[in-house]
């Protein structure tokens, strides 16, 4: 249970997906490639002690203990839509802080243009890890990372983040496909050029660096126009930027989103 | 073993066993056992069973010969029809739960997405095989021609494996597993054909 959580206005009115579904239907390849695997295989994952190193093009690089992260800013509950690149979606009451609160503390220098994230990879604790090259890596442009919607997440449904959802610290970027939301982060690096990211490295044609939710740009093998909201029978139309266009479309003005998928 | 295979009871037992995956799905459906995304679960399960029954069907001939169990042939038609049956259920989940019978969209999907094109091909090729699976049709067509037609099963299983391979996001281990089984089953036939044709070419030793 997380204390002192304030409700945020960054909340959608969609009905939240049941806790059971949010915590048993996960893509977390470090703990197996099936959706049911992480809930089983991450059960004994050790999330304490945990430090996050924030480094690179910053004036004040430093290591944070996870307990310090919780104190950087008031913990907020935000109900976000979550759209997976596999054309299913959920609605999740996350708890966390804006990523920009952390980044401001370390003071990015003028050279910093991107933020590179890395997950912990411990083969002894993750014997079922498969398909990808680990450690898992993700990245954002600095302006995307500083956007108020971009969240460092430590909990859901009022509780500490379950291991299968990326404990103790994950990224939540609601207008991008779910795989951008890197889990179990232990390293954040500010860099000058676009960092390499895991899915993009494996299949660049299928998983772009931006990976903004976009019903008009299909995955090469399947359509992204519709999605199945977990718990619903009929499919719904996928919304541009997952419905967050009012807040984030400005980040991409002048950018060809078909080319920069 | 031979006694069991030729008994009257074994056919209904195999029939029910082959129906069990469907019964299990129905039971799980009513007992919240299909996970967070039931429709995807059903799609995957019916697809898996289609491939499995194709493997079982194609395994009949090699196993008969290698284990010297000729009675296994009694089950080949049933296994093949079950492959078709699960294939039809698989197609239904796609047409209904995925596309909600939006035919314009379905046609576009089949044309545009290679994994759907080849999956559809694999299933469509099974239609004439299901129709001509009766004794009457074997007689009407003649054994040779019937056998030729039913070699389409080889195309169907290869199409099924490619369909699976092309649709997984990244982890190809399961499609490769079915691909391996398919390769063994088809290589067996190539080997048999090769040995037969060699036996035909090499003249029989002349009696002295």
């Amino acid at each position: 249970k997380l204390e002192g959580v304030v409700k945020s206005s960054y909340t959608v009115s969609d009905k939240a997906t049941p806790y059971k579904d949010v915590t048993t239907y996960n893509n977390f390849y470090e703990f197996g490639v099936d959706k049911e695997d992480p809930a089983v295989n991450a059960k004994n994952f050790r999330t304490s002690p945990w430090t996050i190193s924030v480094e690179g093009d910053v004036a004040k690089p430093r290591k944070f203990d996870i307990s310090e992260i919780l104190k950087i800013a008031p913990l907020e509950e935000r109900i976000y839509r979550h759209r997976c690149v596999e054309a299913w979606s959920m609605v999740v009451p996350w708890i966390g802080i804006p990523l920009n609160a952390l980044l401001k503390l370390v003071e990015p220098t003028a050279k910093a243009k991107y933020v590179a994230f890395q997950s912990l990879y411990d083969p002894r604790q993750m014997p079922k890890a498969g398909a990808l090259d680990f450690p898992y890596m993700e990245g954002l442009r600095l302006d995307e990372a500083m956007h108020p919607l971009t969240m460092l997440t430590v909990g859901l449904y009022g509780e500490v983040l379950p291991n299968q959802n990326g404990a103790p610290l994950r990224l939540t970027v609601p207008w991008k496909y779910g795989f951008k939301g890197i889990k179990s982060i232990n390293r954040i690096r500010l860099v000058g050029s676009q960092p390499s990211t895991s899915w993009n490295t494996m299949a660049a044609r299928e998983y772009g660096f931006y990976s903004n939710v976009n019903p008009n740009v299909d995955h090469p093998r399947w359509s992204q126009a519709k999605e199945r909201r977990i718990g619903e029978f009929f499919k719904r139309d996928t919304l541009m930027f997952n419905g967050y266009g009012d807040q984030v479309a400005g980040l991409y003005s002048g950018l060809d989103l078909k080319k920069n998928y | 073993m031979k006694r069991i295979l030729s008994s009257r009871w074994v056919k209904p037992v195999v029939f029910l066993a082959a129906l069990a995956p469907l019964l299990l799905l129905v039971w799980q459906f009513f007992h919240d056992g299909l996970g967070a995304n039931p429709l995807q679960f059903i799609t995957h399960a019916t697809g898996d069973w289609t491939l499995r029954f194709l493997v079982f069907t194609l395994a009949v001939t090699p196993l008969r010969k290698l284990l010297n169990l000729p009675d296994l042939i009694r089950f080949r038609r049933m296994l093949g029809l079950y492959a078709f049956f699960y294939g039809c259920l698989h197609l239904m989940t796609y047409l209904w739960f995925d596309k909600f019978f939006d035919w314009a969209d379905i046609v576009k999907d089949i044309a545009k997405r290679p994994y759907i094109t080849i999956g559809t091909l694999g299933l469509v090729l099974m239609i004439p095989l299901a129709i001509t699976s009766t004794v009457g049709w074997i007689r009407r067509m003649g054994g040779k021609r019937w056998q030729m037609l039913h070699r389409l099963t080889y195309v169907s299983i290869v199409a099924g494996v490619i369909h699976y391979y092309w649709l997984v996001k990244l982890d190809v281990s399961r499609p490769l597993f079915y691909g391996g089984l398919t390769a063994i089953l088809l290589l067996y036939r190539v080997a048999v054909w090769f040995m037969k044709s060699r036996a035909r070419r090499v003249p029989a030793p002349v009696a002295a």
Side-chain angles (χ1 to χ4, degrees):
Chain A
K1 189 97 186 135
L2 286 164
E3 302 296 331
V5 178
V6 295
K7 301 263 181 216
S8 160
S9 55
Y10 291 114
T11 278
V12 294
S13 55
D14 304 32
K15 186 170 158 284
T17 305
Y19 178 86
K20 185 177 172 239
D21 292 341
V22 173
T23 54
T24 55
Y25 194 75
N26 308 100
N27 276 324
F28 196 171
Y29 278 29
E30 283 87 337
F31 294 104
V33 298
D34 286 331
K35 305 276 186 297
E36 301 75 21
D37 290 343
V40 178
N41 298 332
K43 210 165 262 166
N44 299 317
F45 179 54
R46 284 188 301 277
T47 56
S48 166
W50 193 280
T51 52
I52 300 104
S53 160
V54 188
E55 54 194 54
D57 296 325
V58 293
K60 297 176 173 168
R62 61 173 277 202
K63 284 186 162 67
F64 291 86
D65 187 79
I66 185 67
S67 61
E68 296 175 278
I69 300 270
L70 300 179
K71 291 178 196 130
I72 290 175
L75 292 180
E76 294 175 37
E77 179 176 80
R78 299 178 172 194
I79 304 179
Y80 278 169
R81 291 184 208 98
H82 175 86
R83 169 63 158 79
C84 179
V85 73
E86 297 164 3
W88 54 266
S89 63
M90 292 182 175
V91 178
V92 187
W94 302 109
I95 293 169
I97 60 168
L99 172 63
N100 61 33
L102 172 85
L103 294 180
K104 280 172 192 160
L105 274 184
V106 295
E107 298 174 15
T109 66
K111 268 166 65 190
K113 297 282 182 278
Y114 291 87
V115 186
F117 303 85
Q118 189 176 310
S119 294
L120 175 82
Y121 177 54
D122 178 357
R124 279 167 308 152
Q125 291 197 76
M126 300 163 169
K128 300 280 173 66
L132 288 162
D133 283 335
F134 298 106
Y136 194 88
M137 303 209 273
E138 257 310 333
L140 294 173
R141 238 169 41 190
L142 185 59
D143 59 341
E144 296 175 323
M146 296 299 286
H147 193 281
L149 278 174
T150 304
M151 194 179 177
L152 270 181
T153 304
V154 296
L156 58 81
Y157 270 105
E159 290 175 21
V160 170
L161 208 54
N163 291 344
Q164 62 269 34
N165 293 86
L169 184 72
R170 66 168 292 165
L171 186 68
T172 310
V173 196
W175 71 94
K176 291 177 180 284
Y177 292 122
F179 69 87
K180 296 293 290 181
I182 181 171
K183 301 185 175 84
S184 304
I185 301 168
N186 68 352
R187 188 159 173 242
I188 299 175
R189 196 174 171 78
L190 284 281
V191 292
S193 55
Q194 185 176 304
S196 59
T197 58
S198 289
W199 279 96
N200 184 249
T201 307
M202 295 304 285
R205 228 169 52 83
E206 306 197 349
Y207 310 99
F209 175 79
Y210 284 95
S211 285
N212 293 316
V213 175
N214 188 341
N216 310 313
V217 176
D218 284 348
H219 184 279
R221 289 182 286 143
W222 58 81
S223 165
Q224 295 291 24
K226 291 185 177 183
E227 67 198 52
R228 169 155 283 125
R229 177 71 52 84
I230 295 302
E232 291 182 354
F233 179 69
F234 290 103
K235 289 192 165 183
R236 355 171 122 224
D237 289 336
T238 289
L239 305 172
M240 186 66 204
F241 294 117
N242 206 19
Y244 295 94
D246 288 350
Q247 288 119 297
V248 301
L251 293 170
Y252 308 103
S253 54
L255 193 72
D256 182 346
L257 294 174
K258 284 213 157 72
K259 273 194 199 125
N260 299 280
Y261 51 92
Chain B
M1 189 67 188
K2 282 185 181 166
R3 183 105 45 87
I4 297 173
L5 281 179
S6 58
S7 93
R8 208 145 51 87
W9 296 106
V10 69
K11 235 176 168 171
V13 168
V14 174
F15 181 88
L16 285 175
L19 202 58
L22 176 64
L23 298 178
L24 181 67
L25 270 183
V26 172
W27 192 86
Q28 285 174 310
F29 180 81
F30 288 108
H31 291 80
D32 196 24
L34 299 180
N37 197 346
L39 301 176
Q40 181 195 284
F41 191 102
I42 295 170
T43 308
H44 289 178
T46 50
D48 274 337
W49 282 106
T50 308
L51 266 180
R52 283 174 200 150
F53 276 101
L54 278 170
V55 168
F56 298 157
T57 310
L58 285 180
V60 166
T61 298
L63 290 180
R64 285 177 75 205
K65 297 277 160 62
L66 298 174
L67 304 178
N68 190 26
L69 292 170
D71 275 337
L72 276 176
I73 194 72
R74 296 177 62 213
F75 307 98
R76 192 173 65 179
R77 175 171 63 192
M78 185 157 72
L79 294 171
L81 284 172
Y82 261 114
F84 182 63
F85 172 66
Y86 282 106
C88 288
L89 292 178
H90 184 59
L91 179 71
M92 273 309 282
T93 58
Y94 166 75
L95 296 178
W96 188 1
F97 307 141
D98 206 68
K99 295 289 165 193
F100 298 96
F101 302 111
D102 179 347
W103 294 104
D105 198 29
I106 290 164
V107 170
K108 216 175 71 187
D109 227 20
I110 294 177
K112 192 174 169 189
R113 319 228 172 260
Y115 85 92
I116 294 182
T117 319
I118 197 149
T120 313
L121 173 79
L123 189 63
V124 165
L125 289 181
M126 287 162 77
I127 296 172
L129 309 190
I131 294 173
T132 60
S133 64
T134 60
V135 180
W137 270 102
I138 301 179
R139 207 180 314 118
R140 240 165 289 163
M141 293 182 69
K144 264 253 151 62
R145 271 197 296 160
W146 184 89
Q147 208 175 15
M148 281 292 281
L149 176 70
H150 280 248
R151 289 202 176 118
L152 280 178
T153 318
Y154 308 156
V155 184
S156 270
I157 193 170
V158 170
V161 169
I162 296 174
H163 166 71
Y164 197 178
Y165 187 88
W166 278 348
L167 77 87
V168 293
K169 205 155 87 172
L170 201 55
D171 180 28
V172 292
S173 58
R174 266 166 267 190
L176 284 182
F177 170 73
Y178 286 109
L181 290 176
T182 303
I184 293 169
L185 294 170
L186 295 186
L187 282 174
Y188 168 85
R189 284 153 172 97
V190 172
V192 168
W193 171 82
F194 186 73
M195 286 196 293
K196 271 193 187 155
S197 70
R198 228 175 61 149
R200 242 177 284 138
R201 244 181 299 130
V202 178
V206 183

